[in-house]
Amino acid sequence: MATLKEILFTSLTAAGLVAADGLNARAVAAGKKYFGTEISTIVMADSSANAIAKNSQDFGQYTCENEMKFDALEPSRGTFSYTSADKIVAQAQANGQIMRCHNLVWHSQVPSWVTNGKFDNATLISIMKNHIANVVGHYKGKCYAWDVVNEALNEDGSYRTSGSIWGSTIGPAFIPIAFAAAAAADPTAKLYYNDYNCDKPGSKATGAQNLIKMVKQYGAPIHGFGMQGHMTAGQVGSASQYVTNMRAFANLGVEVAFTELDISTPSSSPNFAQQATDYATIVSACKQVSACVGITTWGFTDKYTWISNSYPLIWDTSLQKKAAYNAILNAWGSSSTPTSLAAPTSTSQASSGNATGCTAAHYAQCGGQGYSGCTVCESPYTCKYSNDWYSQCL
């Protein structure tokens, strides 16, 4: 039987008088649209993991891992299979979570009937446009955004042709054609280009900016850039480089998001403190750029990571929160919780926002530009500088 406090908390929350707390709640309080996660039907089948995924205070947005890719949705020509993806969309809708839909055109996970079909340019364009029309049409009004084209660039920023049926047969023109087709199928969805190794300034980031310009020159709409963010602990560096890079994209008139964030640390000798610091750095960078609408981690638990021999995510293999969880909370800043009935679950959460007379817990934020919380760490930890916007108790 529920306690009086639990009943009161539920009633006040329903009335909008008590705000809960979590990764997404903090992101929204910081002015962002969401903090989200990639999810799969495999995770959904694990009731303990799915209970975490369903908590909209931590995750306000979903991205399907594989369920919306070309080979999953159109395994044979003209035959579409939506069952698995529909399950994820239905769960998101039931919990008030946003869908970032991923992805429509990619060189990988293309069914063999496409790659081995020996189609000419015109036929392959027709196949691509038909796929987009059916898929985007099926989910019309249910996707906040679509990753329309995924990973169309080489590392030097040139257009990928090797290994891409689209690039080698159609050429770069497939990109604006795909964006135009997606816009026709759902004019309300945000349309993104999504790629990796573009989170810092460099040749590939410049190539992605040129791609956005090219799509616009063709007259097709493009609304966002997804910088995937597959990173390694200890190699993330300062927030300023990410801020500079995101602003370069924003100057092109598009929004930006980290769409597949994970920060690897080897399972043989994990460094969770460094990982926590690095997650906080990415959050602090997004927080500083108004055009950064949110962050999606590529999964949330090491139990279901795609990266072998690594612990890259926020919950461990036993589904327990790691140091990164509180580091992300504190990097976003204080929650909007107005009453102790919805008190934080950890000292580091509770300390956020208290300017004096408090101590910050291990791994909590303790300084940085714009920070107004605890600046003294609990013993035996000290406040160590990470970047201009984030210092942490280590």
Side-chain angles (χ1 to χ4, degrees):
M1 180 179 294
T3 66
L4 177 61
K5 183 175 181 179
E6 288 170 337
I7 293 170
L8 182 58
F9 176 80
T10 301
S11 299
L12 290 172
T13 301
L17 300 176
V18 173
D21 197 13
L23 305 176
N24 181 63
R26 295 280 181 111
V28 172
K32 302 306 175 183
K33 191 171 184 66
Y34 60 80
F35 187 95
T37 183
E38 165 263 296
I39 187 172
S40 67
T41 51
I42 295 172
V43 171
M44 289 174 62
D46 181 333
S47 59
S48 296
N50 199 37
I52 298 171
K54 289 167 69 174
N55 179 9
S56 60
Q57 297 305 318
D58 277 326
F59 301 119
Q61 171 266 317
Y62 283 171
T63 298
C64 293
E65 182 177 23
N66 293 304
E67 290 81 356
M68 284 188 178
K69 291 172 182 172
F70 203 125
D71 59 352
L73 292 186
E74 194 179 357
S76 60
R77 188 172 183 179
T79 301
F80 293 85
S81 178
Y82 294 109
T83 302
S84 293
D86 282 354
K87 290 179 181 178
I88 294 174
V89 174
Q91 179 163 296
Q93 290 183 314
N95 292 298
Q97 293 158 312
I98 297 165
M99 284 300 307
R100 283 199 81 262
C101 295
H102 171 87
N103 60 61
L104 294 171
V105 188
W106 186 28
H107 66 274
S108 186
Q109 292 183 238
V110 183
S112 59
W113 69 264
V114 176
T115 56
N116 298 333
K118 298 181 179 180
F119 300 112
D120 60 20
N121 182 303
T123 305
L124 193 60
I125 290 173
S126 175
I127 288 169
M128 182 183 72
K129 292 171 70 174
N130 182 67
H131 179 83
I132 292 171
N134 275 273
V135 172
V136 178
H138 179 80
Y139 292 110
K140 184 176 182 179
K142 297 179 180 179
C143 298
Y144 164 73
W146 271 103
D147 289 332
V148 177
V149 175
N150 196 50
E151 301 176 4
L153 297 174
N154 296 311
E155 289 303 301
D156 63 359
S158 62
Y159 292 106
R160 183 193 299 267
T161 55
S162 177
S164 170
I165 189 67
W166 316 107
S168 61
T169 304
I170 305 171
F174 86 84
I175 300 169
I177 292 171
F179 275 89
D186 187 354
T188 65
K190 299 280 190 179
L191 307 181
Y192 271 64
Y193 174 65
N194 191 58
D195 212 332
Y196 60 93
N197 288 350
C198 295
D199 36 77
K200 297 179 183 179
S203 298
K204 197 169 186 183
T206 300
Q209 292 158 21
N210 290 335
L211 183 150
I212 291 168
K213 294 175 185 176
M214 182 266 288
V215 172
K216 291 189 172 191
Q217 287 168 355
Y218 269 76
I222 182 168
H223 308 112
F225 174 62
M227 47 185 67
Q228 294 182 10
H230 299 296
M231 303 179 184
T232 301
Q235 299 179 19
V236 171
S238 67
S240 59
Q241 61 194 327
Y242 302 99
V243 170
T244 297
N245 196 45
M246 283 187 281
R247 286 176 176 161
F249 282 96
N251 288 339
L252 299 178
V254 297
E255 64 185 39
V256 295
F258 285 94
T259 54
E260 303 183 20
L261 181 63
D262 47 44
I263 302 179
S264 296
T265 186
S267 56
S268 58
S269 56
N271 187 341
F272 294 134
Q274 181 64 55
Q275 182 183 62
T277 296
D278 292 340
Y279 266 108
T281 294
I282 298 304
V283 169
S284 70
C286 180
K287 186 177 178 181
Q288 293 173 66
V289 179
S290 59
C292 183
V293 298
I295 295 173
T296 307
T297 55
W298 203 244
F300 59 89
T301 170
D302 295 335
K303 184 177 181 180
Y304 294 108
T305 177
W306 69 289
I307 305 174
S308 60
N309 302 314
S310 180
Y311 293 145
L313 296 169
I314 306 169
W315 277 256
D316 66 19
T317 56
S318 299
L319 302 176
Q320 300 299 306
K321 293 173 183 175
K322 294 159 62 178
Y325 184 92
N326 283 336
I328 294 169
L329 280 180
N330 288 291
W332 282 128
S334 62
S335 74
S336 56
T337 304
T339 173
S340 61
L341 283 172
T345 57
S346 72
T347 304
S348 62
Q349 292 182 45
S351 68
S352 182
N354 295 330
T356 60
C358 65
T359 56
H362 190 200
Y363 299 123
Q365 185 176 5
C366 54
Q369 292 182 17
Y371 174 74
S372 59
C374 306
T375 57
V376 176
C377 300
E378 65 182 14
S379 179
Y381 306 108
T382 57
C383 189
K384 295 187 177 180
Y385 174 88
S386 174
N387 54 60
D388 289 346
W389 300 270
Y390 192 80
S391 295
Q392 185 179 24
C393 292
L394 298 171

